[in-house]
Amino acid sequence: MDTDAVIARHPAIALVDELAHTNAPESRHPKRFQDVLELLDAGISVYITLNVQHIESRAGTVREITGIPVRETLPDSVLERADEIEIIDISPEDLIKRLREGKIYPPERIEMAAGNFFEIGNLTALREMALRFTAEKVDHSLQSYRQTRKIYEPWKTGERLLVAVSPSPFSESLVRWTRRMAYNLGASWIAVNVETSKPLSVKDRKRLNKIISLARELGAEIVVTRDEDITGGILRIARQRNITQIVAGKPGSGFWRDIFRFRTPVRRLIKESGNIDLYIIRAPGGNENAAERRTGYSWKKPRWKQYLAVLSALAGVAAANYAMLPIIGARSVSLILLLSILIVSLFVGRGPVFFYAALSALVWNFFFLPPYFTLYIYRIDDVIIFIMYFTIALVAGSLTSKMRNQERSAVQREEQLNVLYDVTRRFASSRSIDEAIEYVLAYIKSTFEALAVVYIKSADGSLFATPHPASSIIPDEKDFSVANYCFTSGKTAGRFTDTLPSSPFLFIPLFFKKENTVGVMGIRFSADILLTLEETAMLETLASHLANVIERDMFVQETQKTKIHEESEKLYRVLMNSLTHEIRTPLTAIKGSISTLMDTAVHGNEHARHNLLKETQDAAERLIALVDNLLDMSRIDSGRLSLNADWNDLSDIIGSVLNKLEFLAARHPITVWCPDDIPLVRVDYTLIAQALYCIVHNAIVHTHDGTPVRIGVARYDNGVSIVVEDDGPGLPADDIGKLFDKFYRSGKTQSRMGLGLGLSISRGIVELHGGRITAENKAPHGARFVMYLPVAVKEKESD
Amino acid sequence: MIDAGMENKLILVIDDELQIRRFLKIGLESQGCRVFEAGNGGDGISMTVMKKPDIVLLDLNLPDMSGLDVLKKLREWYVSPVIVLTVRESEQDKIELLNSGADDYITKPFSMGELLARIRAVFRRSRRDAEEPVFSHRHITIDYSRRLVTVNGVTVKFRPLEYELLKLLTKNAGKVLTQRQIMKEIWGPGMESETSYLRVYIASIRKKIEKDPSRPKILITEPAVGYRFVIE
C-alpha cells in the first residue's frame, strides 16, 4: 500500500483490505493500520475489513480456543476510532464451502487450512466472538448516546481502572483483560509499572517494553514510577489518580511460596487498598511464571568472587576467634561473628551475606560450642542464641543489601539530577544553539557511546536537510526521511519505536511545546543496546531542553528580523519620501522651463531663454547626481565594491574633484594646500575622489556664496589625512553624531537638495580603506571634516 | 556655427534607445553631419559595411549582442574612429574598451557639446597622423623636431622622460591613454604596473604647463583609466 500516493490523490474514501496486515520489513510503518491512521489524519475516510481474530484484546482468547497463536493483531484503540462497525456474517458451513471452492486460499493451502483453522468448532467460536464484539460495540454506542442525551439511568460514573504490569509474561493477559473490562465499563484505564532498584535482565526488560507498548496500543495511559515497595507504589499511583478499580495478577500458588511469603503483594493489596475495588486474575501456568520470575531477579554478574572473598574472611575471623577462645569465651565469639556479618554485608551482595551468615552459624556451632567439632547443641539457651543468631544474620544481610540498593539508586538519581542541572545551567548560559547542541551531543557520546545528529527547522517551516554542523554522524537519505517523519508527526520514530523500526537511528522530535517542533535529534546507538526507562526519559528531557534553547534562539532571530523589517520599512518610507521630492523637484523645473521656452512670449527675450535653459541644465545635473549617489550607495551596501588600490597622487585626486565641481565651486574661493612632500598613497582613485567630492560638495552647498573653503593634506603616523573646512555657519551640535547616517538630512538643510547619502557614501569609502572620517565645528565658526586614511605611502622620487 | 571639420561627415549611431538616437540625430545634423541609425548590434555591423561611416557612435547595451563584441567585430576591418557611449561602466571595462580599439568613450548622460568635442578630437587626431612637426594648443607649443617646449612663449626645460611623456600625450591629444599604454610606451614592457613613476612625472609636467597645477585643465586624469591631453 503506497500511503503517500493515496494521500497525494486525496480521495474522499479509501477502501483498505485486511487492516491487521503486517507490512514488508522496509516499509515506513510495520503495520498497515498505521498507514490507515495516516490516511485518517490526512482527512481521508477509510473503509476497512478485519477478521475478528485479529483484534488485540481477543487474540488471547482466540489462541485459547483454536490453539493457534495470532501473530497479526490490531490495537483496540484503533478500532475505537471506527465510526461504525458492520458485521459480515456467514455460517461456518458456508465458509468452509467457500474454502473448498478455492475462494479463500490457493488450492495447495486448502487442505491444511481446513484441518487447522477452518474447523467447524473454531469457526463457530469465532463467529460468536464477532457477534459479541459487535454487540459490545453497539451497547457502547447506546451508552454514549445516552450520555450525550443526558440519560443518566444505569450509568456507571467515573470508573477508572489500574492494571499493575511487571515483566512477567502473565502481565500481557492482565493488560488484555483490563482493556476488555475498561471498554465494557466505558472507563479509562492506566497501566502502572513500578520499577525497583533491582536491575532487570535484558530479556525481562524487552518483555516489559513489549507489554507496555501493548497497553499503550490498547489505549491505556502508561505510568512508570519508582518505588522499592511495589505494592506501595501501585497504591500511591492509584490514590493519586483516583482509581476505582485495581487489576492485579495472582501468582500461581505453591506450597512453599504460601508458607514463606505470607505478605504477598496480593494480600497487601487486599489489606491496604481501602475503598478501591480489586480484581485478582489468575495466572495460567504458575510454575513457568515462577521460573521466569527467578531469572528476572538473577544477578547480572557472577558473584563467585564475592563468595570466595566471604569464605576467606570467615576463615580468617574464625581462626582469630579460635585462637582467642580460651580468653573470651563462646558467647563473645558469637557476637564477634555477628559483627563480622554486619561488616561483610557492607561490601557484598545479599547472596554472599546469607551464605556468610549460614556458614558462620555452622562454624560457630561446630568449632566454638561444646561439644566441639559436632553440630549438636545441648543447652537450651545455646539453641535460642543459635536461632536468634541466624535470624539477626538474615535480617542484617537483607537490611544492608536493601540499604545499598537504595543508596545505589539514590546515587543514580543524583547523577541524573546532576546531568539535568548541568544541562539547565549550561543551556541557560549558552549564547548559541551551536553550544547547546555540542553539549548534548557530547553528553550522548559519553553516556551511550552513541553518535548523534541534529536537524533544525528551516525558515520555511520544513526540516533543513543538512544536519547541524556539530553532528557526529550524517544519516543517509533513507534515515533522513525517518527524521522528516518524526519532525512532521512530532512522534519519536526509528529504532525502538513502532514507526520505521528498521532504521538504525532513534529520532526524537525536539519540541518544548508539542505544537511547535523545532527540529529532530537522531541517535545511532551501538548494535545491542536496550534503553531503560530512565534513559529514554533522560533523552526526552534533553530533547525538550534543547528544543527550548533552539526555540529561544529562533525567537530572538525572529524578533531581530521583525526589527530589521520595521527599520527597513521606515527607511523605505524615508527614502521614498525624499526620492519623490528629489526627483520631482528637478523634473518640475525641467518641465516648467521647457514649457515656458516653447511659449512664443519668451522667443524674443534672449536673457529669459538663457536663464530657462540654464535652469533646465541645473535640474538635469541634479538628477544625474542623484542617480550617481544612489548607484554608489547600493554598490557600497551590496559589498560588491572592491578596492582598486594603486599608487596615487592626492593633489591629482583633489584636482579632479575640483574640476568636477567647477560649476558650483566658481561661487566659492577654494584654496588647496598640498605640500610637495606629501607622498604617493595607495588608494582607489575613483572612490577617494568620490568621497572627497561629497564632502567638498557639502561645504559648498551648505554655505553662502563667497564663503571660503579650504582643502588640506597632511601626514600623520599611519598615513595621510585630508581636511576640508569652511568658514560657514558650522554644523548643528546635535546633528554631528548622525551626519554620516544614511538618508540623514539636517533639519536646517531640509530645503536644500540631496538625499542625505553623500556623507554616508564618503564614510563607506573611507572605511573601505580602513580609515575613519570625522566632523566637527571649528573656531570661530565653520565646519571641519577630516578623512584619516591609514594607507601605504611612497615617497615621491624623481630621477 | 557649423564646424568645417564636421561638415558632411557620415556618422553611424548604434543605440537601442530611440530617444537617444533622435537626440543625437538632431544635434549632429545641426552640425552638418549625415546621420544613420541602427537599433542593434547586427544592424550596426551591416550598416557599417554598407555605408562606410566616418565615425561610429556605439552604445554598450544592445539587445542582441554586447557593444564590446560589436567593437571587436568592427575592428577586424574597420579603421575609422569609434566612440563608445557608456553608462557608468567600471574602470576595468573602460580600459578593455580602449584596448579593444575604441578611440574614446563618453559617459551617459553627456551634453551635445562634450560629444562634439570628442568627435572633433578624434577627427583632428586622424588628420594629424600625417606627422605634423609642431604641436600648438593654447599657450603650449611643442616643436617635435627640435625637442622644444614653449609655455606662454617661454621655453621650458623638460627632462628626457618628461618630454617623452608629453610627446606621447600630445601626439594622442584628445584621446585617453591608459596607464598601461603609457607605461609600456615610455618605460618599456615589464614596467606596466609601476604606475607610481607615472604619477610623479604627470605631477611635474603639470607644474610646468598648467596655470594652476592643483586644478589641471590641460593634462587631466581620467580616474583609474589614464590621462588625456585636452584640446578643446
Side-chain angles (χ1 to χ4, degrees):
Chain A
M1 172 168 167
D2 187 343
T3 315
D4 289 330
V6 176
I7 291 175
R9 295 184 69 165
H10 204 90
I13 296 172
L15 306 183
V16 180
D17 196 20
E18 280 285 10
L19 187 60
H21 181 74
T22 302
N23 287 331
E26 289 293 291
S27 316
R28 184 189 308 167
H29 300 296
K31 295 282 188 179
R32 175 169 288 169
F33 73 81
Q34 290 167 316
D35 295 327
V36 169
L37 287 180
E38 255 190 62
L39 294 186
L40 290 175
D41 288 342
I44 300 168
S45 300
V46 185
Y47 282 23
I48 53 102
T49 60
L50 174 72
N51 291 325
V52 69
Q53 70 265 27
H54 292 142
I55 301 170
E56 183 79 65
S57 59
R58 309 292 144 137
T61 327
V62 171
R63 195 188 59 200
E64 277 166 27
I65 296 168
T66 62
I68 299 164
V70 180
R71 274 184 220 96
E72 301 191 330
T73 56
L74 176 80
D76 292 51
S77 55
V78 176
L79 215 52
E80 263 170 36
R81 289 190 60 172
D83 298 310
E84 206 169 312
I85 290 181
E86 209 164 291
I87 189 158
I88 302 168
D89 189 32
I90 184 170
S91 71
E93 290 79 4
D94 281 349
L95 188 56
I96 290 172
K97 198 172 146 222
R98 279 172 63 85
L99 179 74
R100 295 272 174 224
E101 284 166 0
K103 284 180 179 169
I104 298 176
Y105 286 134
E108 61 271 21
R109 286 182 59 191
I110 292 174
E111 273 314 309
M112 217 185 87
N116 266 323
F117 203 78
F118 283 78
E119 244 182 13
I120 203 135
N122 284 347
L123 292 178
T124 314
L126 287 173
R127 190 183 184 197
E128 186 199 329
M129 198 183 285
L131 288 167
R132 278 177 70 158
F133 182 84
T134 320
E136 270 174 27
K137 182 85 187 176
V138 169
D139 185 43
H140 201 66
S141 338
L142 183 67
Q143 279 186 21
S144 34
Y145 173 80
R146 276 188 174 135
Q147 203 178 10
T148 48
R149 300 294 291 265
K150 304 204 166 146
I151 301 168
Y152 291 110
E153 212 185 331
W155 183 241
K156 297 184 191 78
T157 48
E159 292 290 348
R160 284 171 75 84
L161 272 68
L162 178 152
V163 58
V165 297
S166 71
S168 144
F170 171 43
S171 284
E172 202 173 309
S173 38
L174 266 188
V175 166
R176 289 213 166 90
W177 193 92
T178 314
R179 138 81 206 172
R180 270 204 301 276
M181 185 77 183
Y183 185 76
N184 289 340
L185 288 174
S188 65
W189 59 298
I190 64 178
V192 175
N193 172 250
V194 182
E195 278 197 348
T196 64
S197 53
K198 271 173 210 143
L200 292 177
S201 70
V202 172
K203 207 169 148 195
D204 275 352
R205 200 183 300 151
K206 260 187 184 163
R207 191 162 339 103
L208 182 63
N209 284 342
K210 208 176 129 204
I211 290 164
I212 285 176
S213 63
L214 170 75
R216 190 176 283 135
E217 273 180 25
L218 289 176
E221 181 192 344
I222 308 298
V223 176
V224 176
T225 182
R226 188 174 253 280
D227 207 313
E228 291 308 309
D229 173 11
I230 298 179
T231 317
I234 291 171
L235 286 169
R236 179 165 49 80
I237 297 295
R239 300 224 158 80
Q240 277 170 8
R241 298 304 191 92
N242 290 323
I243 294 299
T244 55
Q245 305 184 8
I246 293 176
V247 180
K250 181 167 72 173
S253 57
F255 176 72
W256 286 107
R257 193 176 293 197
D258 283 355
I259 294 286
F260 284 111
R261 307 191 66 189
F262 48 90
R263 268 173 66 83
T264 58
V266 169
R267 282 192 200 176
R268 276 194 58 205
L269 272 180
I270 294 170
K271 235 177 153 169
E272 295 172 22
S273 55
N275 57 355
I276 302 173
D277 293 349
L278 212 56
Y279 293 95
I280 306 298
I281 310 301
R282 178 190 54 84
N287 287 338
E288 172 205 345
N289 188 14
E292 290 284 354
R293 183 157 291 229
R294 261 199 299 284
T295 58
Y297 293 146
S298 67
W299 295 104
K300 267 208 291 201
K301 293 179 225 157
R303 294 290 172 111
W304 60 271
K305 271 191 182 165
Q306 290 192 0
Y307 284 98
L308 216 62
V310 297
L311 207 58
S312 48
L314 181 61
V317 172
N321 277 315
Y322 197 67
M324 291 190 296
L325 183 62
I327 311 162
I328 53 176
R331 302 266 154 78
S332 314
V333 169
S334 77
L335 287 174
I336 292 173
L337 282 174
L338 262 181
L339 180 69
S340 72
I341 292 174
L342 283 176
I343 294 171
V344 163
S345 66
L346 291 177
F347 299 101
V348 297
R350 183 145 46 157
V353 171
F354 288 164
F355 175 69
Y356 185 87
L359 215 58
S360 65
L362 292 178
V363 164
W364 179 63
N365 185 354
F366 195 72
F367 289 102
F368 300 99
L369 268 190
Y372 302 116
F373 307 114
T374 67
L375 291 175
Y376 291 113
I377 306 171
Y378 288 128
R379 290 163 53 170
I380 188 69
D381 51 344
D382 282 349
V383 171
I384 292 170
I385 286 179
F386 184 80
I387 292 170
M388 281 178 46
Y389 179 94
F390 215 89
T391 318
I392 290 173
L394 281 177
V395 169
S398 151
L399 270 182
T400 46
S401 86
K402 209 179 210 172
M403 222 164 67
R404 277 151 44 88
N405 276 341
Q406 273 171 356
E407 191 187 1
R408 202 168 50 210
S409 72
V411 166
Q412 218 172 33
R413 236 170 302 170
E414 196 183 306
E415 271 172 14
Q416 280 175 7
L417 271 178
N418 277 339
V419 170
L420 270 185
Y421 173 72
D422 201 33
V423 166
T424 326
R425 194 172 49 83
R426 268 169 185 270
F427 281 13
S429 66
S430 73
R431 275 181 299 278
S432 65
I433 299 184
D434 302 12
E435 251 175 71
I437 291 177
E438 269 163 32
Y439 175 75
V440 169
L441 295 193
Y443 170 80
I444 288 171
K445 198 178 169 88
S446 65
T447 314
F448 301 102
E449 286 168 10
L451 299 175
V453 58
V454 171
Y455 291 101
I456 292 182
K457 184 165 88 168
S458 66
D460 63 358
S462 64
L463 199 60
F464 200 56
T466 315
H468 188 275
S471 307
S472 47
I473 185 167
I474 296 172
D476 59 20
E477 223 165 275
K478 212 173 81 198
D479 292 322
F480 175 70
S481 65
V482 184
N484 221 340
Y485 174 80
C486 167
F487 175 73
T488 44
S489 65
K491 288 181 200 146
T492 313
R495 209 174 154 194
F496 310 119
T497 69
D498 295 338
T499 313
L500 297 154
S502 60
S503 165
F505 285 87
L506 169 67
F507 287 103
I508 303 172
L510 300 175
F511 58 74
F512 193 66
K513 278 182 297 228
K514 181 117 191 158
E515 59 276 13
N516 185 15
T517 308
V518 292
V520 171
M521 175 166 73
I523 305 161
R524 202 181 73 178
F525 296 100
S526 54
D528 50 346
I529 194 174
L530 269 166
L531 291 181
T532 66
L533 288 161
E534 286 107 336
E535 284 164 348
T536 318
M538 190 69 210
L539 286 175
E540 276 167 7
T541 316
L542 276 177
S544 89
H545 270 89
L546 190 56
N548 195 12
V549 173
I550 296 173
E551 212 173 275
R552 198 175 59 194
D553 191 86
M554 284 178 167
F555 182 70
V556 169
Q557 279 182 6
E558 198 62 34
T559 330
Q560 274 172 354
K561 225 186 267 170
T562 325
K563 217 164 130 191
I564 289 171
H565 186 71
E566 271 173 16
E567 265 173 20
S568 75
E569 280 271 293
K570 207 172 110 192
L571 202 63
Y572 175 77
R573 270 202 307 278
V574 171
L575 177 63
M576 275 335 271
N577 283 344
S578 51
L579 254 188
T580 321
H581 175 258
E582 281 306 307
I583 293 173
R584 275 187 170 279
T585 314
L587 283 178
T588 315
I590 291 172
K591 203 177 170 202
S593 306
I594 288 175
S595 59
T596 321
L597 276 173
M598 289 170 106
D599 191 347
T600 44
V602 291
H603 274 187
N605 189 341
E606 199 51 44
H607 181 69
R609 278 171 56 93
H610 178 79
N611 279 346
L612 284 171
L613 284 171
K614 187 146 177 347
E615 206 53 57
T616 315
Q617 196 185 13
D618 275 3
E621 291 289 339
R622 192 168 155 186
L623 278 177
I624 291 165
L626 176 75
V627 172
D628 284 355
N629 266 354
L630 281 174
L631 286 175
D632 284 336
M633 198 67 233
S634 76
R635 272 171 75 196
I636 290 174
D637 276 2
S638 68
R640 278 191 298 115
L641 198 66
S642 57
L643 274 190
N644 188 9
D646 197 357
W647 294 111
N648 279 300
D649 188 352
L650 278 177
S651 61
D652 190 4
I653 295 178
I654 296 169
S656 76
V657 169
L658 293 180
N659 271 342
K660 210 169 151 192
L661 280 165
E662 195 171 26
F663 171 66
L664 283 164
R667 288 175 254 166
H668 293 260
I670 298 180
T671 45
V672 177
W673 187 71
C674 183
D676 273 351
D677 67 336
I678 291 296
L680 295 174
V681 288
R682 200 168 166 74
V683 294
D684 185 311
Y685 188 105
T686 331
L687 291 181
I688 290 295
Q690 173 75 17
L692 186 62
Y693 173 87
C694 292
I695 295 172
V696 179
H697 183 266
N698 261 2
I700 291 170
V701 298
H702 290 305
T703 57
H704 295 292
D705 286 0
T707 311
V709 176
R710 284 177 295 280
I711 303 170
V713 181
R715 297 182 78 149
Y716 78 104
D717 346 330
N718 294 325
V720 293
S721 60
I722 307 173
V723 184
V724 178
E725 52 180 42
D726 62 63
D727 293 340
L731 307 161
D734 47 341
D735 278 352
I736 293 184
K738 294 179 265 180
L739 273 181
F740 296 102
D741 288 353
K742 223 178 289 173
F743 302 118
Y744 179 78
R745 296 196 300 176
S746 162
K748 288 186 181 169
T749 61
Q750 198 68 49
S751 57
R752 296 272 185 165
M753 60 186 216
L755 272 181
L757 279 177
L759 286 178
S760 73
I761 290 173
S762 298
R763 183 176 65 172
I765 290 171
V766 172
E767 281 174 358
L768 209 60
H769 282 83
R772 67 201 163 85
I773 186 165
T774 62
E776 62 193 4
N777 281 322
K778 68 175 183 61
H781 55 88
R784 178 189 285 133
F785 287 84
V786 188
M787 298 198 287
Y788 293 95
L789 298 170
V791 290
V793 298
K794 197 180 203 176
E795 298 305 331
K796 287 179 191 165
E797 42 177 86
S798 39
D799 43 13
Chain B
M1 40 173 260
I2 291 175
D3 189 306
M6 301 279 288
E7 188 114 37
N8 277 330
K9 290 286 185 198
L10 217 58
I11 300 184
L12 175 64
V13 178
I14 308 176
D15 195 316
D16 61 328
E17 292 286 347
L18 181 62
Q19 220 177 349
I20 303 276
R21 291 205 305 268
R22 231 156 34 195
F23 144 72
L24 288 176
K25 194 175 164 80
I26 294 168
L28 291 170
E29 280 179 348
S30 71
Q31 299 297 318
C33 305
R34 283 181 294 147
V35 179
F36 296 97
E37 302 167 35
N40 58 53
D43 287 358
I45 292 171
S46 50
M47 290 206 36
T48 314
V49 175
M50 291 187 302
K51 307 285 181 191
K52 299 200 175 56
D54 296 310
I55 187 167
V56 175
L57 303 184
L58 173 66
D59 181 39
L60 276 191
N61 276 321
L62 295 171
D64 55 342
M65 56 205 289
S66 87
L68 187 62
D69 290 340
V70 177
L71 176 66
K72 284 177 179 163
K73 282 218 159 74
L74 286 182
R75 276 298 177 231
E76 285 169 13
W77 52 272
Y78 181 73
V79 289
S80 297
V82 176
I83 295 181
V84 177
L85 316 178
T86 70
V87 190
R88 284 179 72 82
E89 259 72 28
S90 78
E91 283 70 35
Q92 241 53 50
D93 295 339
K94 289 175 186 165
I95 292 171
E96 194 179 352
L97 283 173
L98 294 172
N99 288 340
S100 304
D103 290 75
D104 208 341
Y105 61 85
I106 186 163
T107 306
K108 288 180 186 174
F110 49 82
S111 71
M112 206 59 214
E114 271 176 274
L115 179 66
L116 289 174
R118 296 290 169 87
I119 295 175
R120 270 185 221 113
V122 291
F123 280 152
R124 207 173 297 161
R125 196 159 60 239
S126 45
R127 274 207 306 276
R128 199 178 289 124
D129 281 349
E131 268 319 310
E132 287 182 11
V134 178
F135 171 88
S136 184
H137 179 67
R138 293 200 193 176
H139 53 285
I140 301 159
T141 311
I142 305 169
D143 185 342
Y144 296 123
S145 58
R146 295 194 292 153
R147 293 178 66 99
L148 202 69
V149 185
T150 11
V151 180
N152 291 322
V154 181
T155 306
V156 180
K157 214 171 141 56
F158 278 74
R159 284 178 289 179
L161 278 173
E162 287 172 4
Y163 175 77
E164 289 304 321
L165 187 50
L166 183 66
K167 183 178 166 187
L168 180 68
L169 287 162
T170 48
K171 284 270 180 198
N172 290 284
K175 186 183 175 184
V176 192
L177 292 178
T178 66
Q179 292 164 13
R180 244 182 134 71
Q181 287 170 340
I182 299 173
M183 292 305 294
K184 205 173 160 187
E185 209 47 51
I186 308 291
W187 278 271
M191 292 286 283
E192 288 96 327
S193 54
E194 295 293 324
T195 49
S196 56
Y197 292 118
L198 184 55
R199 306 271 178 262
V200 178
Y201 279 93
I202 293 285
S204 69
I205 292 175
R206 278 180 182 152
K207 277 188 194 132
K208 292 174 185 175
I209 62 169
E210 295 278 359
K211 280 182 183 145
D212 179 1
S214 70
R215 293 186 212 185
K217 302 281 182 218
I218 298 167
L219 178 47
I220 63 159
T221 308
E222 289 289 337
V225 177
Y227 296 95
R228 184 201 298 275
F229 194 95
V230 183
I231 41 159
E232 58 225 31

